[in-house]
Amino acid sequence: VMDKFPPEIAKFYTRHAYDVICNNEESLIKRTSAIEKFVTCSTASNTEIMKVLADQTLEAPLVEAITLKIFSLDAPWNALAYLFSTECLQKRRQSTTASLLTHISNHIPVDQSVEFLSLLLADSRRNVLGVVLQKSIVRMLFKAGTEKARELLQCEWENTNIHEDVQHEILILCLRSVLEDENIDVVWEWNILHGVAAGDRIDEEIGLLLLSASTDQETINLLTNRWQVGQSFRPPVEEQSVTDIRSSFQKMMRSKTSASLEQRRQFHSLAEKLSKNLAQDDLCRVASHMKWSLSQFFGDSCVTRDDQNALAEMEHAIMLDEVLDQSWGASWIAEISKLYGCSFRTCLVNASNQSPESKDGSITKDVWRRLCADNPVAQRVSRFISELFVGGSSAESGTGHMYIALEAISETADQYLSYLECFSDGVLKEREENARRLVRLLSRLQGKKEENSFLPREKKEGNHFFMVQRLWD
């Protein structure tokens, strides 16, 4: 209809539409309609259209409306070339340009969109791109997923001048990609993640970001006291994207598909690298906890052995003498011991499911005891618990280790602990008798100590109990 207007009326119509666009008192619907008519009006020049887009107060719906209409023009690329010129990129707000990019990518083929983004990343324009716009471009390249897009992302990642916020965005998108879709090729994303974890100078914030994919802030604080201020827990504000990634991670942990098992294997390898290469000791502990949580015991329903040596590593971590002296020591021992007990329980249940008695539904206590006697994991757990008892009776620190570890192991191992050799009737009876003897001995020594306290010093010196008293003290 507008094409049939006489030139003077058409110009008036264009000016009126422009006035409506600029009038903030008009409704958004009316201003959007005016923009659509303005752009398609034959008397509206590209210069006038660019003038409207240069208005930094334009709301997002108006930007979208004008972008859509640009593609209905005879030469849309002329308008776009101006929009993304160095001059415009410097003048316009980054968020406005990012919004334009998003709208444009929805209306042109993927390959063209990637080619267009590569022009923005060229040296002539790259220096004027702000962080917000760079992150938007990175997100669009991830969404494109083409070989050319990956090449551009690789160049950005290897850029020595990459801003840390852009670096974090790439890592977040890598984590999201490897977790959210089991059917896409994510070799490049895994290579980026493993490359970071294998580095000898991992940035602390990056280390926290990678660990946060699996471990919430409360658990990190429990293992490190990193954000403990007196009795208060004050963690930093966490991005929603990180929370979403952790939700996807937990979903993967509940899944038993072959793809999810491969994801777990990759994350286990990632955690192992982090536990060795992080510069911060407290984050190394979190990485070790992440690795043991991802061990084969918690994913493979057929596993009955410890091929990853996880139990030995957990035993070593539980029994370190200096741990209990730390503010986080008791929590660390308890959390690792819970994983230890759960690993044993899972392994024994798997072994029972593979036994002939399982098919008959006739697993008795004797069968459980036989399974424990034959299973290498159960044998190892039994030996370790016996060592805990011995260590607990030999030193004060050992007692601390013993009670914390045994309580936590029993919490997750449930009734299956009672089938171990170290808890057999004969062993328990022997331990009970030894405990009685120890109580009688301590009572007698305490009585002697009180009696001896009234003797003259010279008599004490000659008394055989003098040595015992000094040891007691």
Side-chain angles (χ1 to χ4, degrees):
V1 177
M2 287 183 287
D3 291 340
K4 298 178 181 179
F5 287 168
E8 289 301 319
I9 295 178
K11 287 180 181 180
F12 176 79
Y13 188 91
T14 303
R15 284 197 300 273
H16 176 70
Y18 180 77
D19 291 339
V20 173
I21 294 167
C22 297
N23 188 357
N24 292 331
E25 295 182 359
E26 295 286 357
S27 68
L28 200 58
I29 295 175
K30 189 171 183 179
R31 292 171 69 198
T32 302
S33 176
I35 268 199
E36 293 173 350
K37 293 171 182 175
F38 173 77
V39 173
T40 54
C41 189
S42 59
T43 55
S45 65
N46 279 346
T47 303
E48 289 175 311
I49 295 173
M50 297 307 113
K51 184 180 178 182
V52 174
L53 278 172
D55 184 357
Q56 297 195 22
T57 63
L58 276 182
E59 292 90 337
L62 301 180
V63 173
E64 182 173 10
I66 197 168
T67 305
L68 289 172
K69 285 301 176 182
I70 283 175
F71 283 95
S72 67
L73 301 175
D74 293 334
W77 292 106
N78 291 335
L80 292 175
Y82 173 78
L83 283 172
F84 294 99
S85 65
T86 304
E87 179 186 359
C88 279
L89 287 172
Q90 287 176 316
K91 290 180 179 179
R92 193 187 306 114
R93 287 184 305 181
Q94 291 182 57
S95 57
T96 303
T97 304
S99 178
L100 275 171
L101 278 174
T102 303
H103 295 318
I104 290 169
S105 66
N106 291 332
H107 301 287
I108 60 176
V110 173
D111 290 338
Q112 279 187 307
S113 176
V114 172
E115 196 64 38
F116 185 65
L117 294 174
S118 70
L119 294 175
L120 286 178
L121 293 173
D123 292 339
S124 58
R125 291 184 176 85
R126 198 186 191 291
N127 293 333
V128 299
L129 299 179
V131 174
V132 172
L133 193 50
Q134 288 181 53
K135 289 167 68 175
S136 180
I137 291 172
V138 163
R139 286 192 291 269
M140 292 173 67
L141 289 173
F142 263 90
K143 184 178 179 182
T146 64
E147 185 176 347
K148 174 69 173 178
R150 291 247 172 86
E151 290 175 3
L152 291 172
L153 286 169
Q154 185 69 35
C155 289
E156 285 301 294
W157 180 254
E158 294 175 353
N159 190 327
T160 54
N161 295 321
I162 186 172
H163 193 279
E164 62 180 19
D165 287 354
V166 180
Q167 194 176 40
H168 281 211
E169 188 70 19
I170 291 175
L171 290 174
I172 286 171
L173 291 167
C174 283
L175 288 167
R176 182 180 295 167
S177 296
V178 300
L179 281 167
E180 289 189 349
D181 196 334
E182 298 179 350
N183 301 315
I184 62 173
D185 177 14
V186 288
V187 173
W188 183 83
E189 286 82 352
W190 277 123
N191 287 340
I192 292 294
L193 295 172
H194 283 297
V196 171
D200 56 356
R201 292 184 179 180
I202 306 173
D203 179 77
E204 184 173 358
E205 290 300 315
I206 287 179
L208 266 173
L209 172 63
L210 296 178
L211 293 172
S212 296
S214 69
T215 314
D216 59 61
Q217 290 180 315
E218 188 173 348
T219 303
I220 291 176
N221 188 65
L222 189 68
L223 301 176
T224 65
N225 275 2
R226 176 171 277 258
W227 301 304
Q228 197 73 27
V229 182
Q231 297 298 316
S232 301
F233 168 48
R234 299 177 185 174
V237 177
E238 195 169 48
E239 294 179 41
Q240 183 61 43
S241 56
V242 176
T243 306
D244 293 340
I245 287 170
R246 194 158 55 246
S247 296
S248 298
F249 182 91
Q250 291 164 355
K251 181 181 177 182
M252 174 207 73
M253 291 291 282
R254 293 189 295 268
S255 175
K256 300 297 181 182
T257 64
S258 57
S260 67
L261 291 178
E262 173 59 20
Q263 289 171 330
R264 293 164 71 101
R265 188 188 67 79
Q266 292 277 11
F267 272 108
H268 180 274
S269 176
L270 185 73
E272 185 171 30
K273 292 183 178 75
L274 289 171
S275 68
K276 295 176 180 177
N277 298 322
L278 282 166
Q280 301 76 25
D281 290 340
D282 60 344
L283 295 186
C284 285
R285 288 196 299 276
V286 179
S288 295
H289 182 272
M290 176 181 174
K291 178 180 72 170
W292 297 327
S293 301
L294 286 158
S295 70
Q296 63 195 83
F297 294 116
F298 303 103
D300 189 348
S301 59
C302 297
V303 66
T304 58
R305 305 175 66 87
D306 182 18
D307 296 330
Q308 294 173 327
N309 207 35
L311 293 177
E313 292 177 1
M314 284 190 268
E315 289 169 5
H316 176 72
I318 291 169
M319 294 304 293
L320 283 174
D321 289 335
E322 64 271 17
V323 168
L324 275 181
D325 297 331
Q326 307 300 324
S327 58
W328 45 265
S331 298
W332 168 251
I333 293 174
E335 291 302 308
I336 303 308
S337 298
K338 288 176 186 177
L339 288 177
Y340 189 86
C342 194
S343 300
F344 157 66
R345 183 193 67 198
T346 302
C347 187
L348 191 62
V349 170
N350 289 345
S352 71
N353 291 335
Q354 297 171 25
S355 67
E357 291 84 358
S358 175
K359 298 176 182 177
D360 304 333
S362 57
I363 301 185
T364 62
K365 290 182 178 180
D366 289 337
V367 173
W368 283 115
R369 291 191 183 99
R370 178 178 57 77
L371 288 171
C372 284
D374 295 340
N375 184 267
V377 167
Q379 293 168 8
R380 182 179 192 101
V381 172
S382 184
R383 286 195 300 271
F384 177 62
I385 290 177
S386 296
E387 290 172 12
L388 281 175
F389 276 116
V390 173
S393 62
S394 63
E396 185 178 349
S397 63
T399 305
H401 284 275
M402 179 184 75
Y403 287 124
I404 295 171
L406 283 178
E407 186 174 354
I409 291 172
S410 62
E411 181 181 331
T412 53
D414 296 331
Q415 75 275 14
Y416 300 105
L417 278 183
S418 64
Y419 304 127
L420 292 173
E421 173 63 25
C422 63
F423 290 115
S424 65
D425 292 341
V427 173
L428 287 178
K429 187 175 181 180
E430 182 182 349
R431 291 191 195 284
E432 186 178 357
E433 181 58 33
N434 288 337
R436 287 198 180 103
R437 289 174 181 171
L438 181 60
V439 169
R440 288 196 297 269
L441 175 61
L442 291 176
S443 298
R444 188 162 55 250
L445 289 175
Q446 183 66 27
K448 287 285 187 180
K449 179 183 177 184
E450 292 173 356
E451 176 186 331
N452 208 40
S453 64
F454 297 102
L455 293 175
R457 180 170 181 80
E458 61 274 10
K459 289 188 177 180
K460 290 183 189 177
E461 298 270 346
N463 196 305
H464 290 294
F465 185 68
F466 178 69
M467 294 177 60
V468 177
Q469 182 178 345
R470 292 188 61 183
L471 289 171
W472 178 267
D473 293 338

